[in-house]
Amino acid sequence: VLGEVREGLKWLFQTKEEVLVFAASGTGCMEGAVANICSPGDRALVIRGGNFGERWANICQAYGVQVTNIDIEWGTAVTPEQIADALKADDSIAAVLTTLVETSTGVLTDIEAVGKVVAETNALLIVDGISGVGAVECRVDDWAIDVLVVGSQKALMTPPGLAYITLSDKAWAKVDS
Ligand SMILES: *Cc1c(COP(=O)(O)O)cnc(C)c1O
């Protein structure tokens, strides 16, 4: 069963990479991503347009990551240009953390466009797809998503308590550094 699930998760994430299974809530997996990928003192850009964007910022702060927020009005989506401008203004940003579907407002982020912007930089694109994946399109490899976190109990409609995460080669290099 586990082998079948692992293959199925790769299909769900649209990635050739391994998808790791966490015995945790979605939030636990978000924390795992920050704790293992970011180091204290790293700089991160967080898109805050609702409750879950704020959660990324709170987790980063708890781990000593220096956060720059893009605060957008709740109910609106960040534009790729806003992210491009922030990355140009500070080339030391190591990670961009954003949300596929901001469940608290229902806003969908254009991750494909954001991926094109972030892929041109050294920063990693870390996406909370906890509620979105399974409901809306999300293609890890084609869209250059470096880290994607998904929860079991939202669009996947399976019991709570599991979460899934995948990392690109660029993200694994950061884990190893
Ligand atoms: C529900 C949700 C979370 C938190 O997941 P839990 O499993 O409740 O910890 C994080 N991000 C988004 C977008 C969510 O919808």
Short mmCIF file of all heavy atoms in Angstrom, two decimals, residues 24-30 51-53 55-56 98-104 128-132 149-154 160-163, ligand 1:
data_model
loop_
_atom_site.label_atom_id
_atom_site.label_comp_id
_atom_site.label_asym_id
_atom_site.label_seq_id
_atom_site.Cartn_x
_atom_site.Cartn_y
_atom_site.Cartn_z
N ALA A 24 1.85 14.38 10.85
CA ALA A 24 1.67 15.70 11.46
C ALA A 24 0.49 16.39 10.79
O ALA A 24 0.05 16.00 9.71
CB ALA A 24 2.93 16.56 11.27
N SER A 25 0.01 17.44 11.43
CA SER A 25 -0.96 18.33 10.80
C SER A 25 -0.25 19.08 9.67
O SER A 25 0.99 19.05 9.55
CB SER A 25 -1.47 19.32 11.83
OG SER A 25 -0.38 20.11 12.27
N GLY A 26 -1.02 19.79 8.88
CA GLY A 26 -0.42 20.63 7.86
C GLY A 26 0.55 21.64 8.46
O GLY A 26 1.65 21.85 7.94
N THR A 27 0.16 22.22 9.59
CA THR A 27 1.02 23.20 10.25
C THR A 27 2.34 22.56 10.69
O THR A 27 3.40 23.19 10.58
CB THR A 27 0.29 23.80 11.48
OG1 THR A 27 -0.97 24.30 11.05
CG2 THR A 27 1.10 24.92 12.12
N GLY A 28 2.27 21.33 11.18
CA GLY A 28 3.49 20.62 11.57
C GLY A 28 4.43 20.46 10.39
O GLY A 28 5.66 20.58 10.54
N CYS A 29 3.88 20.22 9.23
CA CYS A 29 4.72 20.07 8.03
C CYS A 29 5.27 21.42 7.56
O CYS A 29 6.41 21.49 7.10
CB CYS A 29 3.89 19.38 6.94
SG CYS A 29 4.88 18.59 5.66
N MET A 30 4.48 22.49 7.73
CA MET A 30 4.99 23.84 7.43
C MET A 30 6.20 24.12 8.33
O MET A 30 7.23 24.63 7.89
CB MET A 30 3.92 24.90 7.70
CG MET A 30 2.74 24.88 6.75
SD MET A 30 1.35 25.93 7.33
CE MET A 30 1.92 27.58 6.85
N ASN A 51 -4.89 34.48 6.88
CA ASN A 51 -4.47 33.76 8.08
C ASN A 51 -3.27 32.85 7.83
O ASN A 51 -2.36 32.76 8.66
CB ASN A 51 -5.67 32.94 8.58
CG ASN A 51 -5.43 32.28 9.91
OD1 ASN A 51 -4.92 32.91 10.82
ND2 ASN A 51 -5.75 31.01 10.01
N PHE A 52 -3.24 32.18 6.69
CA PHE A 52 -2.19 31.18 6.50
C PHE A 52 -0.89 31.79 6.02
O PHE A 52 0.19 31.26 6.33
CB PHE A 52 -2.71 30.03 5.62
CG PHE A 52 -3.81 29.29 6.33
CD1 PHE A 52 -5.13 29.42 5.92
CD2 PHE A 52 -3.54 28.55 7.46
CE1 PHE A 52 -6.15 28.78 6.61
CE2 PHE A 52 -4.55 27.91 8.16
CZ PHE A 52 -5.86 28.02 7.73
N GLY A 53 -0.96 32.90 5.30
CA GLY A 53 0.26 33.63 5.02
C GLY A 53 0.89 34.14 6.31
O GLY A 53 2.11 34.08 6.50
N ARG A 55 0.63 32.70 9.11
CA ARG A 55 1.21 31.54 9.81
C ARG A 55 2.64 31.29 9.33
O ARG A 55 3.52 31.01 10.14
CB ARG A 55 0.33 30.31 9.61
CG ARG A 55 0.75 29.13 10.45
CD ARG A 55 -0.30 28.05 10.53
NE ARG A 55 -1.53 28.54 11.15
CZ ARG A 55 -2.61 27.77 11.36
NH1 ARG A 55 -2.60 26.49 11.04
NH2 ARG A 55 -3.69 28.28 11.91
N TRP A 56 2.89 31.41 8.01
CA TRP A 56 4.28 31.26 7.51
C TRP A 56 5.20 32.26 8.21
O TRP A 56 6.30 31.91 8.63
CB TRP A 56 4.34 31.52 6.02
CG TRP A 56 4.19 30.40 5.04
CD1 TRP A 56 3.51 30.48 3.86
CD2 TRP A 56 4.76 29.07 5.08
NE1 TRP A 56 3.62 29.29 3.18
CE2 TRP A 56 4.38 28.41 3.89
CE3 TRP A 56 5.56 28.39 5.99
CZ2 TRP A 56 4.76 27.09 3.60
CZ3 TRP A 56 5.94 27.08 5.71
CH2 TRP A 56 5.54 26.45 4.54
N THR A 98 4.75 31.32 0.23
CA THR A 98 3.42 31.78 -0.16
C THR A 98 2.42 30.64 -0.10
O THR A 98 2.74 29.53 0.31
CB THR A 98 3.48 32.47 -1.54
OG1 THR A 98 2.22 33.07 -1.81
CG2 THR A 98 3.83 31.51 -2.66
N THR A 99 1.19 30.93 -0.48
CA THR A 99 0.07 30.02 -0.27
C THR A 99 -0.65 29.81 -1.59
O THR A 99 -0.96 30.79 -2.27
CB THR A 99 -0.90 30.65 0.76
OG1 THR A 99 -0.14 31.19 1.85
CG2 THR A 99 -1.89 29.64 1.29
N LEU A 100 -0.90 28.55 -1.96
CA LEU A 100 -1.60 28.28 -3.22
C LEU A 100 -3.03 28.81 -3.13
O LEU A 100 -3.42 29.67 -3.92
CB LEU A 100 -1.57 26.77 -3.50
CG LEU A 100 -2.39 26.28 -4.70
CD1 LEU A 100 -1.85 26.82 -6.01
CD2 LEU A 100 -2.43 24.75 -4.74
N VAL A 101 -3.79 28.28 -2.19
CA VAL A 101 -5.13 28.80 -1.93
C VAL A 101 -5.13 29.31 -0.49
O VAL A 101 -4.90 28.54 0.45
CB VAL A 101 -6.23 27.74 -2.10
CG1 VAL A 101 -7.59 28.29 -1.67
CG2 VAL A 101 -6.30 27.26 -3.55
N GLU A 102 -5.33 30.61 -0.32
CA GLU A 102 -5.41 31.20 1.02
C GLU A 102 -6.83 30.91 1.53
O GLU A 102 -7.77 31.64 1.24
CB GLU A 102 -5.09 32.70 0.93
CG GLU A 102 -5.22 33.48 2.20
CD GLU A 102 -4.46 32.90 3.38
OE1 GLU A 102 -3.23 33.07 3.50
OE2 GLU A 102 -5.14 32.27 4.22
N THR A 103 -6.95 29.83 2.28
CA THR A 103 -8.26 29.32 2.67
C THR A 103 -9.10 30.37 3.39
O THR A 103 -10.34 30.38 3.25
CB THR A 103 -8.07 28.09 3.59
OG1 THR A 103 -7.01 27.30 3.05
CG2 THR A 103 -9.32 27.26 3.68
N SER A 104 -8.46 31.27 4.13
CA SER A 104 -9.21 32.25 4.92
C SER A 104 -9.90 33.28 4.05
O SER A 104 -10.82 33.97 4.51
CB SER A 104 -8.29 32.93 5.93
OG SER A 104 -7.24 33.62 5.28
N ASP A 128 2.60 26.68 0.45
CA ASP A 128 1.59 26.00 1.25
C ASP A 128 0.43 25.66 0.32
O ASP A 128 -0.35 26.53 -0.05
CB ASP A 128 1.15 26.94 2.39
CG ASP A 128 -0.12 26.47 3.11
OD1 ASP A 128 -0.69 25.42 2.73
OD2 ASP A 128 -0.53 27.18 4.04
N GLY A 129 0.36 24.38 -0.04
CA GLY A 129 -0.74 23.91 -0.89
C GLY A 129 -1.70 23.04 -0.10
O GLY A 129 -2.39 22.19 -0.66
N ILE A 130 -1.74 23.29 1.21
CA ILE A 130 -2.46 22.39 2.12
C ILE A 130 -3.92 22.23 1.72
O ILE A 130 -4.43 21.12 1.66
CB ILE A 130 -2.30 22.88 3.59
CG1 ILE A 130 -0.85 22.65 4.04
CG2 ILE A 130 -3.29 22.18 4.53
CD1 ILE A 130 -0.47 23.25 5.37
N SER A 131 -4.58 23.34 1.42
CA SER A 131 -5.99 23.22 1.04
C SER A 131 -6.20 23.14 -0.46
O SER A 131 -7.21 22.64 -0.92
CB SER A 131 -6.79 24.43 1.59
OG SER A 131 -6.33 25.61 0.96
N GLY A 132 -5.22 23.63 -1.22
CA GLY A 132 -5.45 23.79 -2.66
C GLY A 132 -5.22 22.54 -3.49
O GLY A 132 -5.95 22.26 -4.45
N VAL A 149 3.91 21.83 0.39
CA VAL A 149 3.34 21.17 1.56
C VAL A 149 1.84 20.97 1.32
O VAL A 149 1.15 21.90 0.90
CB VAL A 149 3.54 22.04 2.83
CG1 VAL A 149 2.94 21.35 4.05
CG2 VAL A 149 5.01 22.34 3.07
N VAL A 150 1.36 19.76 1.59
CA VAL A 150 -0.06 19.45 1.38
C VAL A 150 -0.57 18.71 2.62
O VAL A 150 0.16 17.90 3.21
CB VAL A 150 -0.26 18.59 0.11
CG1 VAL A 150 -1.72 18.20 -0.08
CG2 VAL A 150 0.24 19.33 -1.14
N GLY A 151 -1.81 18.96 2.99
CA GLY A 151 -2.42 18.27 4.13
C GLY A 151 -3.41 17.22 3.67
O GLY A 151 -3.94 17.29 2.56
N SER A 152 -3.66 16.25 4.53
CA SER A 152 -4.51 15.12 4.13
C SER A 152 -6.00 15.45 4.17
O SER A 152 -6.80 14.84 3.47
CB SER A 152 -4.23 13.92 5.04
OG SER A 152 -4.40 14.26 6.40
N GLN A 153 -6.38 16.43 5.00
CA GLN A 153 -7.80 16.55 5.36
C GLN A 153 -8.55 17.68 4.65
O GLN A 153 -9.67 17.98 4.99
CB GLN A 153 -7.94 16.74 6.88
CG GLN A 153 -7.72 18.15 7.40
CD GLN A 153 -6.28 18.55 7.56
OE1 GLN A 153 -5.40 17.98 6.92
NE2 GLN A 153 -6.01 19.54 8.39
N LYS A 154 -7.91 18.34 3.70
CA LYS A 154 -8.63 19.43 3.01
C LYS A 154 -9.18 18.87 1.69
O LYS A 154 -10.08 18.08 1.71
CB LYS A 154 -7.70 20.63 2.82
CG LYS A 154 -7.16 21.20 4.14
CD LYS A 154 -8.16 22.05 4.89
CE LYS A 154 -7.71 22.51 6.25
NZ LYS A 154 -6.70 23.57 6.22
N PRO A 160 -7.58 13.62 8.96
CA PRO A 160 -6.47 14.49 9.33
C PRO A 160 -5.34 13.70 9.98
O PRO A 160 -5.55 12.58 10.44
CB PRO A 160 -7.10 15.46 10.34
CG PRO A 160 -8.25 14.72 10.90
CD PRO A 160 -8.76 13.81 9.82
N GLY A 161 -4.16 14.28 10.02
CA GLY A 161 -3.05 13.66 10.74
C GLY A 161 -1.87 13.32 9.87
O GLY A 161 -0.80 12.97 10.37
N LEU A 162 -2.02 13.44 8.54
CA LEU A 162 -0.89 13.24 7.66
C LEU A 162 -0.68 14.51 6.84
O LEU A 162 -1.62 15.25 6.54
CB LEU A 162 -1.10 12.07 6.69
CG LEU A 162 -1.10 10.67 7.29
CD1 LEU A 162 -1.35 9.64 6.18
CD2 LEU A 162 0.20 10.36 8.01
N ALA A 163 0.57 14.74 6.48
CA ALA A 163 0.91 15.84 5.59
C ALA A 163 2.02 15.36 4.67
O ALA A 163 2.73 14.40 4.99
CB ALA A 163 1.35 17.06 6.39
C1 LIG B 1 -5.84 24.20 6.97
C2 LIG B 1 -4.69 24.95 6.44
C3 LIG B 1 -3.47 24.97 7.12
C4 LIG B 1 -3.25 24.29 8.44
O1 LIG B 1 -3.40 22.90 8.33
P1 LIG B 1 -3.66 22.05 9.68
O2 LIG B 1 -3.66 20.63 9.19
O3 LIG B 1 -4.97 22.53 10.22
O4 LIG B 1 -2.52 22.35 10.59
C5 LIG B 1 -2.42 25.67 6.55
N1 LIG B 1 -2.56 26.32 5.39
C6 LIG B 1 -3.73 26.32 4.72
C7 LIG B 1 -3.81 27.06 3.42
C8 LIG B 1 -4.83 25.65 5.22
O5 LIG B 1 -6.00 25.65 4.54
#
